[in-house]
Amino acid sequence: MAHADLAASTEQALGGAPRKQQLIERLTAELPADIVLHADEDLRPFECDGLSAYRQVPMIVVLPSTIAQVQTTMRICHANDVPVVARGAGTGLSGGALPLDDGVLLSLAKFNRILDIDTDNRRATVQPGVRNLAISEAVSHLGLYYAPDPSSQIACSIGGNVAENSGGVHCLKYGLTTHNIVQIEIVTVEGERLTIGSSALDSPGFDLLALMTGSEGLLGVIVEVTVKLLAKPELARVALVAFDDVRKAGDAVAAIIQAGIVPAGLEMLDNPAIVATEEFVHAGYPKDAAAILLCEVDGTEAEVEEDIERVREVVEREGATEVRISRDDAERALFWAGRKAAFPAMGRISPDYYCMDGTIPRKALAEVLIGIGELSEEYGQRVANVFHAGDGNLHPLILYDANQEGELERTEAFGGAICRLCLEHGGSITGEHGVGVEKIDQMCVQFPSAELTQFHAVKEAFDPKGLLNPGKAVPTLHRCAEFGAMHVHNGELPHPELERL
Ligand SMILES: Cc1cc2nc3c(=O)[nH]c(=O)nc-3n(C[C@H](O)[C@H](O)[C@H](O)COP(=O)(O)OP(=O)(O)OC[C@H]3O[C@@H](n4cnc5c(N)ncnc54)[C@H](O)[C@@H]3O)c2cc1C
């Protein structure tokens, strides 16, 4: 059901205005009054996530602390046709947790307990609001850690990580969130509890765990997550490699992988990102380099020594101007400190930045980076690149000033052009930040209507009324027609009845 239709039916189900007051009464009849927020000053802190260009004050915020309270909230909202947006830590960069003015924002912030650490099976079961880094901190004394490490790991929640299938520096070797979880519990739109996946290696039936991972709050509310824990590697070292040409740095990434080395992390910063980061963190990055790579290898001491020398050989052959290998853990942490602080560093050189997220085959890195540079000139806007080069996962940061009229619109158009560039090189419009509201129109460019129709069929199976996070992630065919991006099949446009604008 389209969101506009939904608003009309919500009105009806609650018997007309004032709808908000009626919903408050129905929620507080079954939930503690202090977890149902409705005053403007209480709602305003929830008006945006990490994509702050989009803002919307929610109608009501519910802050449950038990699964039973989540079930009650979902049951009441479902019965009254009220849409629900789940929210973890609100660090998402695609507006997935943007509230709705006629909906409930369901915050999982109070679900912050680690429930079980199973060292025999190397598993931890945690509540969805637990911060990503808190999992590794809780098991560090056991020599264990949780591998996926988004740069936002100090703040983002594991529930948000599952909903976005988040990645990070170490995902090149150890996989994304989807490869590092074994079981979740969800509450369905009707308020039922479901266990998905299992602690066994494989489960029969459709792989619903994979389906839920990256579902951006459209299929259910995640209320518990069981993650895999890994043994901390004996040793890790990072090579900081400088280049005088972005093309050489891009080609070196492909060459490292081609040589059969599997780095634990392989990241790249271009000159604008290097300069901003170095002036902020003083990590020792060479400010005159056109690009740097940070290449980490880990394993036993013998493996690390062998791999790091192979990395040195490859990058020197590819034209590196400088190679520095971390001498100890303190220097390794310093090299990474720059990378991890690269996004905040942009805040020092620009009032606003727009973080794009696209994926391309590694061999296209150099071409696409050059293409982004050309687009930057065409749109007259600065851009800094800092990204997971080993995964081919780009993060062009477009610098802009939201207070200047038209700059946000120009930035979004620039972002759209970057998405198209990624697709032209065989890539995808998103790597790890999800679609949310930000990329919803680009979904029409990436997917044919037949595939979008299948996405809608999956959504309908979980959420027939379309109440979970409506208007995000999967565009309606009508929206694609309005965007002018319907795919032409055999010379015929699908849905000729829809108006093309
Ligand atoms: C500085 C910075 C650096 C970042 N670096 C990375 C990076 O390296 N890699 C990366 O992948 N991402 C990165 N991100 C993006 C973001 O941190 C991730 O997408 C993260 O997983 C979002 O988690 P969250 O708890 O903040 O989720 P939110 O922003 O609250 O929500 C994100 C989406 O998940 C849904 N959701 C949240 N919790 C639940 C739940 N319990 N049940 C169902 N749906 C839910 C929401 O509805 C929304 O659609 C970065 C963000 C910032 C600000």
Side-chain angles (χ1 to χ4, degrees), residues 242-262:
F243 291 88
D244 57 8
D245 180 354
V246 170
R247 186 181 286 276
K248 288 183 197 166
D251 289 344
V253 171
I256 290 170
I257 305 294
Q258 198 182 30
I261 303 162
V262 186

Side-chain angles (χ1 to χ4, degrees), residues 51-74:
L51 183 65
S52 56
Y54 294 77
R55 289 168 194 268
Q56 175 60 60
V57 175
M59 176 167 73
I60 291 171
V61 173
V62 179
L63 272 164
S65 57
T66 65
I67 295 178
Q69 289 174 349
V70 174
Q71 291 179 280
T72 302
T73 309
M74 295 310 295

Side-chain angles (χ1 to χ4, degrees), residues 48-51 84-98 105-108 111 127-132 149-153 155-169 171 176-177 185-187 212 214-225 267 339-344 353 355 357 388 393 395 431-434 436 468-469 472-473:
C48 70
D49 59 9
L51 183 65
V84 177
V85 179
R87 158 105 38 126
T91 67
L93 290 171
S94 55
L98 183 73
L105 186 88
L106 183 69
S107 166
L108 282 304
F111 281 77
Q127 292 189 319
V130 169
R131 291 176 306 113
N132 171 295
D149 54 346
S151 301
S152 53
Q153 65 180 157
C156 65
S157 74
I158 188 71
N161 290 178
V162 175
E164 295 285 8
N165 190 18
S166 292
V169 166
C171 292
L176 298 163
T177 304
E185 268 208 52
I186 67 163
V187 170
M212 285 301 300
S215 61
E216 300 194 29
L218 268 73
L219 303 182
V221 180
I222 300 154
V223 290
E224 209 171 280
V225 185
E267 302 281 303
R339 166 62 184 92
K340 297 250 170 191
F343 285 18
Y353 69 86
C355 175
D357 170 45
H388 310 305
N393 181 195
H395 289 326
E432 56 184 15
H433 294 170
L468 282 168
N469 219 359
K472 316 274 178 68

